Amino acid sequence: MSDSIQITDSAQDYLGELLAKQNVEGIAVRIFITQPGTPYAETCLAYCRPGEEEPSDERLELEKIAVYLDKNSVPFLEEAVVDFNADRMGGQLTIKAPNAKMPKVNADSPIEDQVNYVLYSEINPGLAAHGGEVRLVQLTEEQVAVLSFGGGCQGCAAVDITLKDGVEKTLMERIPELSGIRDVTDHTDTTNAYYR
């Protein structure tokens, strides 16, 4: 699995120097992708002090540094390359992750990833015609997906109908584990809301 990402020697040298400056014994680099499998995927590198890694992280022991890979991000980091190009200004660390935005979701994927996948592959293309989009803000412990409507959907009178009929129905059909959908712009207590 650890061949999924390539960290060049120059990048290891550069990151190794940065880590050394932190003066923390056992410090490593952690690589993760926010909103993987969506057009908004961002590949991030962070310092990871001992104990800050997630128990499910994959640890790579490279020649010069140790790297933790976020478990959910691993499939999206396939063929990723971390490189460092030195130049007169000091140089630049680049991360190319060609698969970060590609949906790779199945029934075993975390529910967040499944929700994002349905939103980006099925729901948003339809809303885009109206200049709108939906994104997942959070998944509550009760498995309620909290969604945010942006663009043309915000303040649209039909947003409740769209949300309840289209988006909720699609998500609930595709992802049986979800217990409900809530709109982040709807700050009312949904237990008394009129549509229940």
Side-chain angles (χ1 to χ4, degrees), residues 75-123:
F76 301 93
L77 286 167
E78 271 171 34
E79 298 167 36
V81 178
V82 181
D83 194 13
F84 180 75
N85 299 315
D87 61 29
R88 292 199 311 276
M89 310 302 288
Q92 192 183 6
L93 190 70
T94 59
I95 308 171
K96 292 191 181 70
N99 293 305
K101 294 180 165 66
M102 296 287 294
K104 292 184 187 219
V105 173
N106 57 41
D108 301 330
S109 301
I111 293 181
E112 287 100 316
D113 290 358
Q114 294 185 46
V115 170
N116 275 327
Y117 177 65
V118 174
L119 289 180
Y120 292 108
S121 62
E122 296 186 40
I123 292 171

mmCIF file of all heavy atoms in Angstrom, residues 75-123:
data_model
loop_
_atom_site.group_PDB
_atom_site.id
_atom_site.type_symbol
_atom_site.label_atom_id
_atom_site.label_comp_id
_atom_site.label_asym_id
_atom_site.label_seq_id
_atom_site.Cartn_x
_atom_site.Cartn_y
_atom_site.Cartn_z
ATOM 1 N N PRO A 75 -6.758 5.922 -0.445
ATOM 2 C CA PRO A 75 -7.137 5.595 -1.826
ATOM 3 C C PRO A 75 -7.001 6.795 -2.769
ATOM 4 O O PRO A 75 -6.754 6.631 -3.959
ATOM 5 C CB PRO A 75 -8.615 5.185 -1.721
ATOM 6 C CG PRO A 75 -8.879 4.974 -0.271
ATOM 7 C CD PRO A 75 -7.851 5.713 0.507
ATOM 8 N N PHE A 76 -7.144 8.007 -2.207
ATOM 9 C CA PHE A 76 -7.091 9.209 -3.038
ATOM 10 C C PHE A 76 -5.661 9.687 -3.244
ATOM 11 O O PHE A 76 -5.402 10.578 -4.035
ATOM 12 C CB PHE A 76 -7.915 10.329 -2.387
ATOM 13 C CG PHE A 76 -9.360 9.947 -2.204
ATOM 14 C CD1 PHE A 76 -9.805 9.384 -1.025
ATOM 15 C CD2 PHE A 76 -10.271 10.135 -3.230
ATOM 16 C CE1 PHE A 76 -11.130 9.013 -0.861
ATOM 17 C CE2 PHE A 76 -11.597 9.771 -3.074
ATOM 18 C CZ PHE A 76 -12.026 9.206 -1.896
ATOM 19 N N LEU A 77 -4.725 9.091 -2.485
ATOM 20 C CA LEU A 77 -3.322 9.485 -2.614
ATOM 21 C C LEU A 77 -2.562 8.577 -3.585
ATOM 22 O O LEU A 77 -1.356 8.692 -3.722
ATOM 23 C CB LEU A 77 -2.641 9.448 -1.239
ATOM 24 C CG LEU A 77 -3.033 10.598 -0.292
ATOM 25 C CD1 LEU A 77 -2.566 10.308 1.124
ATOM 26 C CD2 LEU A 77 -2.477 11.927 -0.785
ATOM 27 N N GLU A 78 -3.288 7.668 -4.242
ATOM 28 C CA GLU A 78 -2.628 6.819 -5.232
ATOM 29 C C GLU A 78 -1.974 7.705 -6.287
ATOM 30 O O GLU A 78 -2.574 8.673 -6.748
ATOM 31 C CB GLU A 78 -3.659 5.915 -5.920
ATOM 32 C CG GLU A 78 -3.850 4.603 -5.189
ATOM 33 C CD GLU A 78 -5.021 3.828 -5.775
ATOM 34 O OE1 GLU A 78 -5.234 3.921 -6.998
ATOM 35 O OE2 GLU A 78 -5.720 3.166 -4.995
ATOM 36 N N GLU A 79 -0.743 7.358 -6.646
ATOM 37 C CA GLU A 79 0.019 8.088 -7.666
ATOM 38 C C GLU A 79 0.344 9.524 -7.259
ATOM 39 O O GLU A 79 0.743 10.345 -8.087
ATOM 40 C CB GLU A 79 -0.726 8.104 -9.015
ATOM 41 C CG GLU A 79 -0.940 6.723 -9.591
ATOM 42 C CD GLU A 79 -1.948 6.744 -10.737
ATOM 43 O OE1 GLU A 79 -1.949 7.733 -11.494
ATOM 44 O OE2 GLU A 79 -2.719 5.781 -10.859
ATOM 45 N N ALA A 80 0.151 9.853 -5.981
ATOM 46 C CA ALA A 80 0.492 11.210 -5.547
ATOM 47 C C ALA A 80 2.011 11.349 -5.456
ATOM 48 O O ALA A 80 2.723 10.386 -5.166
ATOM 49 C CB ALA A 80 -0.145 11.508 -4.192
ATOM 50 N N VAL A 81 2.496 12.547 -5.738
ATOM 51 C CA VAL A 81 3.933 12.822 -5.671
ATOM 52 C C VAL A 81 4.144 14.092 -4.862
ATOM 53 O O VAL A 81 3.543 15.135 -5.139
ATOM 54 C CB VAL A 81 4.533 13.018 -7.080
ATOM 55 C CG1 VAL A 81 6.027 13.342 -6.981
ATOM 56 C CG2 VAL A 81 4.324 11.777 -7.937
ATOM 57 N N VAL A 82 4.979 13.980 -3.834
ATOM 58 C CA VAL A 82 5.395 15.166 -3.084
ATOM 59 C C VAL A 82 6.816 15.462 -3.530
ATOM 60 O O VAL A 82 7.688 14.598 -3.464
ATOM 61 C CB VAL A 82 5.351 14.913 -1.559
ATOM 62 C CG1 VAL A 82 5.763 16.176 -0.800
ATOM 63 C CG2 VAL A 82 3.961 14.463 -1.134
ATOM 64 N N ASP A 83 7.044 16.674 -3.999
ATOM 65 C CA ASP A 83 8.354 17.016 -4.554
ATOM 66 C C ASP A 83 8.776 18.383 -4.031
ATOM 67 O O ASP A 83 7.941 19.179 -3.595
ATOM 68 C CB ASP A 83 8.258 17.031 -6.092
ATOM 69 C CG ASP A 83 9.658 17.032 -6.746
ATOM 70 O OD1 ASP A 83 10.645 16.778 -6.025
ATOM 71 O OD2 ASP A 83 9.728 17.288 -7.949
ATOM 72 N N PHE A 84 10.075 18.627 -4.070
ATOM 73 C CA PHE A 84 10.578 19.944 -3.683
ATOM 74 C C PHE A 84 11.468 20.453 -4.800
ATOM 75 O O PHE A 84 12.404 19.766 -5.218
ATOM 76 C CB PHE A 84 11.373 19.858 -2.373
ATOM 77 C CG PHE A 84 11.910 21.198 -1.944
ATOM 78 C CD1 PHE A 84 11.056 22.144 -1.393
ATOM 79 C CD2 PHE A 84 13.247 21.519 -2.096
ATOM 80 C CE1 PHE A 84 11.531 23.387 -1.002
ATOM 81 C CE2 PHE A 84 13.736 22.757 -1.709
ATOM 82 C CZ PHE A 84 12.877 23.696 -1.157
ATOM 83 N N ASN A 85 11.126 21.613 -5.315
ATOM 84 C CA ASN A 85 11.934 22.215 -6.376
ATOM 85 C C ASN A 85 12.669 23.418 -5.806
ATOM 86 O O ASN A 85 12.041 24.425 -5.478
ATOM 87 C CB ASN A 85 11.038 22.686 -7.535
ATOM 88 C CG ASN A 85 10.293 21.501 -8.137
ATOM 89 O OD1 ASN A 85 10.880 20.463 -8.374
ATOM 90 N ND2 ASN A 85 8.990 21.665 -8.349
ATOM 91 N N ALA A 86 13.986 23.268 -5.694
ATOM 92 C CA ALA A 86 14.776 24.384 -5.169
ATOM 93 C C ALA A 86 14.885 25.462 -6.232
ATOM 94 O O ALA A 86 15.011 25.163 -7.426
ATOM 95 C CB ALA A 86 16.160 23.889 -4.773
ATOM 96 N N ASP A 87 14.799 26.697 -5.812
ATOM 97 C CA ASP A 87 15.044 27.809 -6.750
ATOM 98 C C ASP A 87 15.706 28.946 -5.976
ATOM 99 O O ASP A 87 15.982 28.811 -4.790
ATOM 100 C CB ASP A 87 13.743 28.265 -7.440
ATOM 101 C CG ASP A 87 12.718 28.763 -6.435
ATOM 102 O OD1 ASP A 87 13.113 29.274 -5.361
ATOM 103 O OD2 ASP A 87 11.510 28.658 -6.730
ATOM 104 N N ARG A 88 15.919 30.068 -6.655
ATOM 105 C CA ARG A 88 16.643 31.171 -6.011
ATOM 106 C C ARG A 88 15.915 31.675 -4.771
ATOM 107 O O ARG A 88 16.508 32.158 -3.837
ATOM 108 C CB ARG A 88 16.811 32.336 -6.988
ATOM 109 C CG ARG A 88 17.745 32.044 -8.151
ATOM 110 C CD ARG A 88 18.225 33.331 -8.794
ATOM 111 N NE ARG A 88 17.094 34.235 -9.078
ATOM 112 C CZ ARG A 88 16.333 34.171 -10.179
ATOM 113 N NH1 ARG A 88 16.585 33.253 -11.090
ATOM 114 N NH2 ARG A 88 15.341 35.030 -10.370
ATOM 115 N N MET A 89 14.605 31.570 -4.775
ATOM 116 C CA MET A 89 13.823 32.084 -3.657
ATOM 117 C C MET A 89 13.798 31.103 -2.491
ATOM 118 O O MET A 89 13.159 31.351 -1.484
ATOM 119 C CB MET A 89 12.366 32.346 -4.086
ATOM 120 C CG MET A 89 12.207 33.169 -5.342
ATOM 121 S SD MET A 89 12.995 34.770 -5.188
ATOM 122 C CE MET A 89 11.855 35.553 -4.058
ATOM 123 N N GLY A 90 14.457 29.967 -2.659
ATOM 124 C CA GLY A 90 14.456 28.994 -1.565
ATOM 125 C C GLY A 90 13.782 27.702 -1.968
ATOM 126 O O GLY A 90 14.154 26.641 -1.518
ATOM 127 N N GLY A 91 12.775 27.810 -2.829
ATOM 128 C CA GLY A 91 12.173 26.579 -3.319
ATOM 129 C C GLY A 91 10.723 26.416 -2.910
ATOM 130 O O GLY A 91 10.177 27.177 -2.115
ATOM 131 N N GLN A 92 10.131 25.416 -3.474
ATOM 132 C CA GLN A 92 8.707 25.217 -3.264
ATOM 133 C C GLN A 92 8.400 23.730 -3.153
ATOM 134 O O GLN A 92 8.886 22.919 -3.933
ATOM 135 C CB GLN A 92 7.948 25.808 -4.455
ATOM 136 C CG GLN A 92 6.475 25.912 -4.205
ATOM 137 C CD GLN A 92 5.749 26.436 -5.437
ATOM 138 O OE1 GLN A 92 6.340 26.606 -6.504
ATOM 139 N NE2 GLN A 92 4.462 26.685 -5.295
ATOM 140 N N LEU A 93 7.588 23.406 -2.146
ATOM 141 C CA LEU A 93 7.128 22.033 -1.988
ATOM 142 C C LEU A 93 5.849 21.898 -2.799
ATOM 143 O O LEU A 93 4.934 22.713 -2.671
ATOM 144 C CB LEU A 93 6.847 21.757 -0.507
ATOM 145 C CG LEU A 93 6.581 20.301 -0.128
ATOM 146 C CD1 LEU A 93 7.865 19.476 -0.244
ATOM 147 C CD2 LEU A 93 6.037 20.214 1.286
ATOM 148 N N THR A 94 5.789 20.904 -3.652
ATOM 149 C CA THR A 94 4.568 20.709 -4.444
ATOM 150 C C THR A 94 3.980 19.342 -4.130
ATOM 151 O O THR A 94 4.712 18.388 -3.880
ATOM 152 C CB THR A 94 4.856 20.783 -5.962
ATOM 153 O OG1 THR A 94 5.819 19.767 -6.289
ATOM 154 C CG2 THR A 94 5.409 22.131 -6.367
ATOM 155 N N ILE A 95 2.679 19.284 -4.131
ATOM 156 C CA ILE A 95 1.990 18.000 -3.940
ATOM 157 C C ILE A 95 1.069 17.814 -5.129
ATOM 158 O O ILE A 95 0.175 18.639 -5.355
ATOM 159 C CB ILE A 95 1.127 18.000 -2.662
ATOM 160 C CG1 ILE A 95 1.949 18.439 -1.453
ATOM 161 C CG2 ILE A 95 0.536 16.617 -2.420
ATOM 162 C CD1 ILE A 95 1.111 18.655 -0.220
ATOM 163 N N LYS A 96 1.313 16.778 -5.886
ATOM 164 C CA LYS A 96 0.406 16.471 -6.992
ATOM 165 C C LYS A 96 -0.332 15.189 -6.615
ATOM 166 O O LYS A 96 0.288 14.155 -6.400
ATOM 167 C CB LYS A 96 1.188 16.256 -8.286
ATOM 168 C CG LYS A 96 1.833 17.524 -8.809
ATOM 169 C CD LYS A 96 2.366 17.318 -10.224
ATOM 170 C CE LYS A 96 3.043 18.558 -10.759
ATOM 171 N NZ LYS A 96 4.332 18.835 -10.066
ATOM 172 N N ALA A 97 -1.629 15.287 -6.505
ATOM 173 C CA ALA A 97 -2.430 14.110 -6.157
ATOM 174 C C ALA A 97 -3.533 13.981 -7.203
ATOM 175 O O ALA A 97 -4.634 14.490 -7.033
ATOM 176 C CB ALA A 97 -3.011 14.261 -4.759
ATOM 177 N N PRO A 98 -3.210 13.325 -8.322
ATOM 178 C CA PRO A 98 -4.154 13.294 -9.448
ATOM 179 C C PRO A 98 -5.484 12.620 -9.116
ATOM 180 O O PRO A 98 -6.485 12.866 -9.774
ATOM 181 C CB PRO A 98 -3.404 12.509 -10.527
ATOM 182 C CG PRO A 98 -2.305 11.788 -9.813
ATOM 183 C CD PRO A 98 -1.968 12.607 -8.613
ATOM 184 N N ASN A 99 -5.495 11.782 -8.078
ATOM 185 C CA ASN A 99 -6.738 11.069 -7.761
ATOM 186 C C ASN A 99 -7.508 11.670 -6.589
ATOM 187 O O ASN A 99 -8.527 11.121 -6.168
ATOM 188 C CB ASN A 99 -6.431 9.597 -7.466
ATOM 189 C CG ASN A 99 -5.946 8.891 -8.724
ATOM 190 O OD1 ASN A 99 -6.618 8.906 -9.745
ATOM 191 N ND2 ASN A 99 -4.762 8.309 -8.666
ATOM 192 N N ALA A 100 -7.015 12.809 -6.061
ATOM 193 C CA ALA A 100 -7.659 13.382 -4.874
ATOM 194 C C ALA A 100 -9.117 13.733 -5.130
ATOM 195 O O ALA A 100 -9.972 13.596 -4.259
ATOM 196 C CB ALA A 100 -6.896 14.630 -4.420
ATOM 197 N N LYS A 101 -9.402 14.204 -6.358
ATOM 198 C CA LYS A 101 -10.759 14.662 -6.653
ATOM 199 C C LYS A 101 -11.633 13.557 -7.245
ATOM 200 O O LYS A 101 -12.803 13.762 -7.512
ATOM 201 C CB LYS A 101 -10.710 15.849 -7.624
ATOM 202 C CG LYS A 101 -10.064 17.093 -7.021
ATOM 203 C CD LYS A 101 -10.047 18.220 -8.043
ATOM 204 C CE LYS A 101 -9.756 19.569 -7.421
ATOM 205 N NZ LYS A 101 -8.423 19.697 -6.855
ATOM 206 N N MET A 102 -11.036 12.389 -7.479
ATOM 207 C CA MET A 102 -11.792 11.302 -8.096
ATOM 208 C C MET A 102 -12.579 10.547 -7.037
ATOM 209 O O MET A 102 -11.991 10.087 -6.066
ATOM 210 C CB MET A 102 -10.830 10.300 -8.750
ATOM 211 C CG MET A 102 -10.042 10.876 -9.896
ATOM 212 S SD MET A 102 -11.082 11.118 -11.329
ATOM 213 C CE MET A 102 -11.473 9.416 -11.714
ATOM 214 N N PRO A 103 -13.872 10.416 -7.206
ATOM 215 C CA PRO A 103 -14.626 9.658 -6.207
ATOM 216 C C PRO A 103 -14.222 8.181 -6.212
ATOM 217 O O PRO A 103 -14.187 7.561 -7.252
ATOM 218 C CB PRO A 103 -16.084 9.814 -6.668
ATOM 219 C CG PRO A 103 -16.072 10.926 -7.660
ATOM 220 C CD PRO A 103 -14.710 10.951 -8.268
ATOM 221 N N LYS A 104 -13.849 7.686 -5.057
ATOM 222 C CA LYS A 104 -13.553 6.250 -4.929
ATOM 223 C C LYS A 104 -14.314 5.797 -3.707
ATOM 224 O O LYS A 104 -13.792 5.777 -2.603
ATOM 225 C CB LYS A 104 -12.060 6.025 -4.698
ATOM 226 C CG LYS A 104 -11.234 6.372 -5.896
ATOM 227 C CD LYS A 104 -9.780 6.051 -5.659
ATOM 228 C CE LYS A 104 -9.041 6.597 -6.850
ATOM 229 N NZ LYS A 104 -8.002 5.862 -7.354
ATOM 230 N N VAL A 105 -15.558 5.527 -3.896
ATOM 231 C CA VAL A 105 -16.423 5.296 -2.749
ATOM 232 C C VAL A 105 -17.135 3.972 -2.917
ATOM 233 O O VAL A 105 -17.575 3.637 -4.009
ATOM 234 C CB VAL A 105 -17.442 6.452 -2.638
ATOM 235 C CG1 VAL A 105 -18.465 6.179 -1.574
ATOM 236 C CG2 VAL A 105 -16.713 7.747 -2.320
ATOM 237 N N ASN A 106 -17.217 3.230 -1.836
ATOM 238 C CA ASN A 106 -18.037 2.023 -1.862
ATOM 239 C C ASN A 106 -18.769 1.914 -0.530
ATOM 240 O O ASN A 106 -18.672 2.814 0.302
ATOM 241 C CB ASN A 106 -17.176 0.789 -2.132
ATOM 242 C CG ASN A 106 -16.073 0.650 -1.104
ATOM 243 O OD1 ASN A 106 -16.298 0.868 0.086
ATOM 244 N ND2 ASN A 106 -14.872 0.314 -1.556
ATOM 245 N N ALA A 107 -19.477 0.840 -0.341
ATOM 246 C CA ALA A 107 -20.317 0.707 0.856
ATOM 247 C C ALA A 107 -19.501 0.687 2.146
ATOM 248 O O ALA A 107 -20.030 0.954 3.226
ATOM 249 C CB ALA A 107 -21.164 -0.552 0.751
ATOM 250 N N ASP A 108 -18.195 0.391 2.025
ATOM 251 C CA ASP A 108 -17.370 0.380 3.240
ATOM 252 C C ASP A 108 -16.771 1.742 3.549
ATOM 253 O O ASP A 108 -16.158 1.934 4.591
ATOM 254 C CB ASP A 108 -16.201 -0.622 3.090
ATOM 255 C CG ASP A 108 -16.723 -2.024 2.825
ATOM 256 O OD1 ASP A 108 -17.825 -2.318 3.298
ATOM 257 O OD2 ASP A 108 -16.033 -2.793 2.131
ATOM 258 N N SER A 109 -16.917 2.678 2.630
ATOM 259 C CA SER A 109 -16.339 4.009 2.850
ATOM 260 C C SER A 109 -17.066 4.696 4.007
ATOM 261 O O SER A 109 -18.232 4.403 4.265
ATOM 262 C CB SER A 109 -16.494 4.876 1.602
ATOM 263 O OG SER A 109 -15.852 4.267 0.510
ATOM 264 N N PRO A 110 -16.376 5.630 4.673
ATOM 265 C CA PRO A 110 -17.050 6.380 5.735
ATOM 266 C C PRO A 110 -18.303 7.070 5.172
ATOM 267 O O PRO A 110 -18.317 7.462 4.007
ATOM 268 C CB PRO A 110 -16.011 7.425 6.156
ATOM 269 C CG PRO A 110 -14.707 6.902 5.677
ATOM 270 C CD PRO A 110 -14.988 6.036 4.484
ATOM 271 N N ILE A 111 -19.319 7.218 6.033
ATOM 272 C CA ILE A 111 -20.582 7.793 5.555
ATOM 273 C C ILE A 111 -20.352 9.192 4.974
ATOM 274 O O ILE A 111 -20.950 9.555 3.968
ATOM 275 C CB ILE A 111 -21.627 7.810 6.694
ATOM 276 C CG1 ILE A 111 -21.995 6.361 7.054
ATOM 277 C CG2 ILE A 111 -22.886 8.554 6.264
ATOM 278 C CD1 ILE A 111 -23.018 6.217 8.135
ATOM 279 N N GLU A 112 -19.446 9.984 5.608
ATOM 280 C CA GLU A 112 -19.187 11.321 5.062
ATOM 281 C C GLU A 112 -18.782 11.245 3.588
ATOM 282 O O GLU A 112 -19.245 12.021 2.773
ATOM 283 C CB GLU A 112 -18.036 12.031 5.798
ATOM 284 C CG GLU A 112 -18.357 12.504 7.166
ATOM 285 C CD GLU A 112 -17.833 11.549 8.233
ATOM 286 O OE1 GLU A 112 -17.980 10.317 8.076
ATOM 287 O OE2 GLU A 112 -17.273 12.044 9.209
ATOM 288 N N ASP A 113 -17.864 10.302 3.288
ATOM 289 C CA ASP A 113 -17.389 10.187 1.903
ATOM 290 C C ASP A 113 -18.526 9.768 0.976
ATOM 291 O O ASP A 113 -18.627 10.232 -0.155
ATOM 292 C CB ASP A 113 -16.242 9.175 1.812
ATOM 293 C CG ASP A 113 -14.974 9.696 2.487
ATOM 294 O OD1 ASP A 113 -15.004 10.841 2.967
ATOM 295 O OD2 ASP A 113 -13.982 8.966 2.547
ATOM 296 N N GLN A 114 -19.394 8.881 1.479
ATOM 297 C CA GLN A 114 -20.522 8.446 0.648
ATOM 298 C C GLN A 114 -21.464 9.615 0.378
ATOM 299 O O GLN A 114 -21.942 9.798 -0.744
ATOM 300 C CB GLN A 114 -21.286 7.316 1.340
ATOM 301 C CG GLN A 114 -20.475 6.031 1.486
ATOM 302 C CD GLN A 114 -21.333 4.914 2.081
ATOM 303 O OE1 GLN A 114 -22.449 4.697 1.665
ATOM 304 N NE2 GLN A 114 -20.791 4.209 3.068
ATOM 305 N N VAL A 115 -21.726 10.423 1.424
ATOM 306 C CA VAL A 115 -22.619 11.580 1.252
ATOM 307 C C VAL A 115 -22.009 12.538 0.236
ATOM 308 O O VAL A 115 -22.670 12.984 -0.707
ATOM 309 C CB VAL A 115 -22.855 12.304 2.601
ATOM 310 C CG1 VAL A 115 -23.579 13.635 2.382
ATOM 311 C CG2 VAL A 115 -23.659 11.419 3.550
ATOM 312 N N ASN A 116 -20.708 12.836 0.417
ATOM 313 C CA ASN A 116 -20.046 13.750 -0.520
ATOM 314 C C ASN A 116 -20.120 13.222 -1.946
ATOM 315 O O ASN A 116 -20.361 13.971 -2.888
ATOM 316 C CB ASN A 116 -18.581 13.957 -0.122
ATOM 317 C CG ASN A 116 -18.433 15.040 0.921
ATOM 318 O OD1 ASN A 116 -19.197 16.008 0.925
ATOM 319 N ND2 ASN A 116 -17.485 14.879 1.811
ATOM 320 N N TYR A 117 -19.914 11.922 -2.075
ATOM 321 C CA TYR A 117 -19.937 11.334 -3.406
ATOM 322 C C TYR A 117 -21.297 11.530 -4.071
ATOM 323 O O TYR A 117 -21.393 11.954 -5.222
ATOM 324 C CB TYR A 117 -19.588 9.840 -3.329
ATOM 325 C CG TYR A 117 -19.674 9.160 -4.668
ATOM 326 C CD1 TYR A 117 -18.797 9.515 -5.685
ATOM 327 C CD2 TYR A 117 -20.631 8.193 -4.931
ATOM 328 C CE1 TYR A 117 -18.866 8.911 -6.930
ATOM 329 C CE2 TYR A 117 -20.710 7.581 -6.171
ATOM 330 C CZ TYR A 117 -19.830 7.947 -7.163
ATOM 331 O OH TYR A 117 -19.915 7.362 -8.399
ATOM 332 N N VAL A 118 -22.368 11.241 -3.334
ATOM 333 C CA VAL A 118 -23.717 11.397 -3.906
ATOM 334 C C VAL A 118 -23.974 12.872 -4.226
ATOM 335 O O VAL A 118 -24.511 13.221 -5.284
ATOM 336 C CB VAL A 118 -24.791 10.837 -2.939
ATOM 337 C CG1 VAL A 118 -26.192 11.126 -3.457
ATOM 338 C CG2 VAL A 118 -24.596 9.335 -2.760
ATOM 339 N N LEU A 119 -23.547 13.759 -3.318
ATOM 340 C CA LEU A 119 -23.763 15.193 -3.564
ATOM 341 C C LEU A 119 -23.062 15.631 -4.847
ATOM 342 O O LEU A 119 -23.645 16.322 -5.678
ATOM 343 C CB LEU A 119 -23.233 16.029 -2.391
ATOM 344 C CG LEU A 119 -24.018 15.965 -1.081
ATOM 345 C CD1 LEU A 119 -23.356 16.850 -0.033
ATOM 346 C CD2 LEU A 119 -25.471 16.377 -1.283
ATOM 347 N N TYR A 120 -21.791 15.230 -4.988
ATOM 348 C CA TYR A 120 -21.018 15.744 -6.115
ATOM 349 C C TYR A 120 -21.319 15.034 -7.418
ATOM 350 O O TYR A 120 -21.230 15.623 -8.481
ATOM 351 C CB TYR A 120 -19.518 15.693 -5.805
ATOM 352 C CG TYR A 120 -19.181 16.677 -4.728
ATOM 353 C CD1 TYR A 120 -18.860 16.264 -3.452
ATOM 354 C CD2 TYR A 120 -19.258 18.046 -4.973
ATOM 355 C CE1 TYR A 120 -18.609 17.176 -2.446
ATOM 356 C CE2 TYR A 120 -19.008 18.954 -3.974
ATOM 357 C CZ TYR A 120 -18.683 18.525 -2.721
ATOM 358 O OH TYR A 120 -18.451 19.437 -1.727
ATOM 359 N N SER A 121 -21.678 13.751 -7.323
ATOM 360 C CA SER A 121 -21.887 13.037 -8.584
ATOM 361 C C SER A 121 -23.326 13.125 -9.056
ATOM 362 O O SER A 121 -23.589 13.087 -10.250
ATOM 363 C CB SER A 121 -21.475 11.574 -8.432
ATOM 364 O OG SER A 121 -22.279 10.941 -7.462
ATOM 365 N N GLU A 122 -24.284 13.223 -8.130
ATOM 366 C CA GLU A 122 -25.680 13.177 -8.550
ATOM 367 C C GLU A 122 -26.449 14.464 -8.307
ATOM 368 O O GLU A 122 -27.265 14.867 -9.122
ATOM 369 C CB GLU A 122 -26.399 12.039 -7.801
ATOM 370 C CG GLU A 122 -25.852 10.678 -8.150
ATOM 371 C CD GLU A 122 -26.685 9.578 -7.509
ATOM 372 O OE1 GLU A 122 -27.920 9.711 -7.482
ATOM 373 O OE2 GLU A 122 -26.091 8.597 -7.041
ATOM 374 N N ILE A 123 -26.239 15.082 -7.146
ATOM 375 C CA ILE A 123 -27.116 16.190 -6.761
ATOM 376 C C ILE A 123 -26.626 17.531 -7.295
ATOM 377 O O ILE A 123 -27.367 18.269 -7.930
ATOM 378 C CB ILE A 123 -27.280 16.211 -5.230
ATOM 379 C CG1 ILE A 123 -28.086 14.964 -4.823
ATOM 380 C CG2 ILE A 123 -27.975 17.486 -4.770
ATOM 381 C CD1 ILE A 123 -28.156 14.700 -3.343
#
